[in-house]
């Protein structure tokens, strides 16, 4: 061993022993001013909204609250339950209860506020965590009376439920309601009341009848509002539509219920969903439109994906992969 190496080791040993002695001495002293982390749990969360820009328009995503479906093996069909559970576990998701979000985008085009779908409203068919839309809007500083248009993808409970109160009072007194006539006629037909979809028919009546004088029907391919184009996607519901939303050369597709889950119905789009009115047609619409959106690299906003539901799609084998867009919390 060289002389330099020996001197270096001795110096290091002296430094270590000196530091240890100082720590030992300090251990006998009181913790003057040290934090003990003895604070109560806050048990609160930030407001349930998120904003981003789309061209010159501002999009505020608000939530109607999480919607738990329970056993995913009972809702996502066409493969063995073990396959469904394995897909969830491989993505670090619980296999005993699949929980969907309810992402409601409100687009400020500068001259009007347009909201897409409205949540569960007063219905607690899926538990107590839903029905939060008006509270989330208040947290975002958006008043119900300021909404100019409500665009409805289809008339299922979790999409039209927030239009009217349980006593039949419209929540959005100045909004016109845009929906496909196919879905409106189908779900308000008396024939629905004698089927397993009875609850859907009842809630369509409770929410849409109080605003029937303000309902406007759109058609497939129609740009029925500036910057909002309807695209037919039947199957989940007879008149289900998705929407292309555009401002100043930028756009995204609001998917409604084209796909309910970022893993199960996206990576395997030919799976069937128990709540689809026509499962085969729903698969056809899903594969066709997800392919177009992935090819075009059109960003998507999904009503039921994990909060806030905004991102991109790419082809992956026989299905698609969803890439959530990073949330941008600083704006200026």
């Amino acid at each position: 061993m060289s002389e330099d190496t020996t001197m270096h080791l001795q110096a290091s040993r002296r430094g270590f022993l000196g530091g240890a002695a100082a720590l030992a001495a300090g251990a006998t002293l009181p913790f003057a001013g040290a934090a003990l982390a003895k604070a109560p749990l806050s048990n609160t969360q930030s407001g349930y909204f998120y904003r981003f820009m789309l061209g010159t328009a501002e999009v505020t995503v608000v939530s109607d609250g999480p919607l738990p479906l329970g056993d995913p093996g009972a809702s996502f069909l066409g493969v063995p339950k073990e396959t469904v559970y394995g897909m969830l576990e491989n993505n670090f998701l619980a296999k005993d209860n699949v929980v969907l979000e309810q992402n409601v985008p409100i687009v400020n085009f500068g001259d009007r506020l347009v909201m897409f779908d409205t949540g569960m409203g007063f219905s607690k068919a899926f538990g107590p965590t839903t029905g939060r839309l008006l509270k989330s809007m208040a947290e975002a500083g958006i008043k119900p009376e300021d909404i100019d248009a409500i665009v409805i993808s289809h008339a299922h409970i979790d999409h039209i439920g927030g239009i009217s109160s349980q006593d039949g009072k419209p929540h959005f007194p100045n909004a016109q309601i845009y929906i496909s006539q196919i879905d409106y006629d189908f779900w308000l037909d008396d024939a629905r009341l004698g089927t397993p979809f009875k609850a859907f028919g009842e809630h369509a009546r409770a929410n849409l009848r109080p605003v029937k004088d303000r309902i406007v029907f759109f058609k497939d391919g129609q740009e029925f509002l500036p910057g909002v184009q309807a695209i037919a996607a039947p199957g989940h519901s007879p008149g289900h539509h998705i929407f292309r939303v555009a401002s100043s050369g930028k756009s995204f597709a609001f998917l409604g219920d084209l796909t309910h889950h970022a893993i199960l119905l996206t990576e395997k789009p030919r799976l069937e969903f128990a709540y689809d009115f026509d499962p085969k047609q729903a698969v056809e619409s899903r594969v066709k439109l997800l392919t177009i959106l992935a090819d075009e690299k059109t960003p998507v906003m999904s009503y039921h994906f994990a909060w806030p539901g905004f991102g991109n799609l790419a082809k992956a084998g026989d299905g698609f992969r969803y890439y959530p867009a990073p949330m941008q919390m600083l704006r200026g």
Side-chain angles (χ1 to χ4, degrees):
M1 183 180 296
S2 68
E3 183 176 353
D4 288 344
T5 302
T6 302
M7 292 177 64
H8 176 73
L9 291 174
Q10 289 175 342
S12 298
R13 181 173 180 273
R14 285 195 298 272
F16 172 77
L17 293 175
L23 288 172
T28 63
L29 299 175
F31 288 104
L36 299 176
K38 200 174 181 180
L41 301 179
S42 62
N43 198 33
T44 60
Q45 189 57 279
S46 58
Y48 217 158
F49 69 93
Y50 172 65
R51 289 193 173 101
F52 64 92
M53 295 301 295
L54 180 77
T56 56
E58 182 181 64
V59 182
T60 301
V61 188
V62 295
S63 177
D64 190 57
L67 192 157
L69 287 182
D71 179 8
S75 296
F76 298 89
L77 313 173
V79 298
K81 290 184 177 183
E82 290 69 24
T83 300
V84 175
Y85 300 149
M87 291 176 68
L88 293 169
E89 286 187 311
N90 290 341
N91 287 274
F92 304 96
L93 297 172
K95 69 177 186 179
D96 59 337
N97 182 23
V98 64
V99 179
L100 307 180
E101 253 295 351
Q102 296 182 96
N103 305 309
V104 177
I106 301 173
V107 184
N108 185 342
F109 285 97
D111 59 352
R112 64 196 182 283
L113 283 177
V114 181
M115 181 165 67
F116 294 80
D117 289 342
T118 65
M120 289 286 295
F122 61 83
S123 173
K124 296 302 177 185
F126 293 96
T129 58
T130 65
R132 199 187 192 279
L133 176 65
L134 295 179
K135 183 176 181 180
S136 296
M137 289 177 63
E139 291 169 346
I142 299 175
K143 299 177 181 178
E145 58 267 28
D146 290 339
I147 299 295
D148 298 294
I150 298 175
V151 177
I152 299 297
S153 61
H154 62 298
H156 282 182
I157 297 175
D158 53 326
H159 296 261
I160 50 86
I163 293 176
S164 302
S165 66
Q166 193 163 11
D167 59 3
K169 181 180 179 181
H171 286 305
F172 305 94
N174 299 314
Q176 284 192 306
I177 315 298
Y178 294 83
I179 190 172
S180 79
Q181 186 165 4
I182 295 171
D183 233 51
Y184 180 88
D185 290 344
F186 182 84
W187 291 110
L188 270 72
D189 190 327
D190 291 343
R192 300 289 82 75
L193 302 181
T195 73
F197 289 94
K198 176 183 177 182
F200 289 80
E202 290 175 340
H203 280 276
R205 290 163 176 255
N207 281 277
L208 294 174
R209 281 184 169 175
V211 295
K212 63 181 180 180
D213 58 333
R214 289 192 276 123
I215 288 178
V216 179
F217 298 122
F218 54 71
K219 296 181 179 180
D220 178 30
Q222 180 185 4
E223 185 177 355
F224 56 93
L225 288 168
V228 183
Q229 180 189 26
I231 302 170
H236 177 63
S237 183
H240 180 265
H241 282 67
I242 69 173
F243 305 96
R244 189 179 297 274
V245 184
S247 170
S248 301
K250 300 293 184 180
S251 67
F252 70 81
F254 178 68
L255 299 183
D257 278 3
L258 185 66
T259 172
H260 287 73
H261 198 276
I263 304 300
L264 298 178
L265 290 179
T266 306
E267 295 187 359
K268 288 188 179 294
R270 291 167 181 82
L271 281 178
E272 296 181 2
F273 187 56
Y275 293 90
D276 287 340
F277 177 76
D278 185 335
K280 304 300 182 186
Q281 189 181 41
V283 167
E284 181 181 348
S285 292
R286 183 158 52 246
V287 173
K288 172 187 173 182
L289 291 172
L290 292 184
T291 298
I292 292 173
L293 294 171
D295 287 345
E296 293 178 346
K297 293 183 168 55
T298 299
V300 297
M301 164 64 70
S302 176
Y303 186 74
H304 284 304
F305 284 8
W307 174 258
F310 186 73
N312 292 274
L313 293 166
K315 290 181 179 178
D318 292 332
F320 305 87
R321 183 174 176 185
Y322 170 67
Y323 296 85
M327 293 177 68
Q328 299 180 7
M329 302 309 294
L330 297 181
R331 296 179 59 187

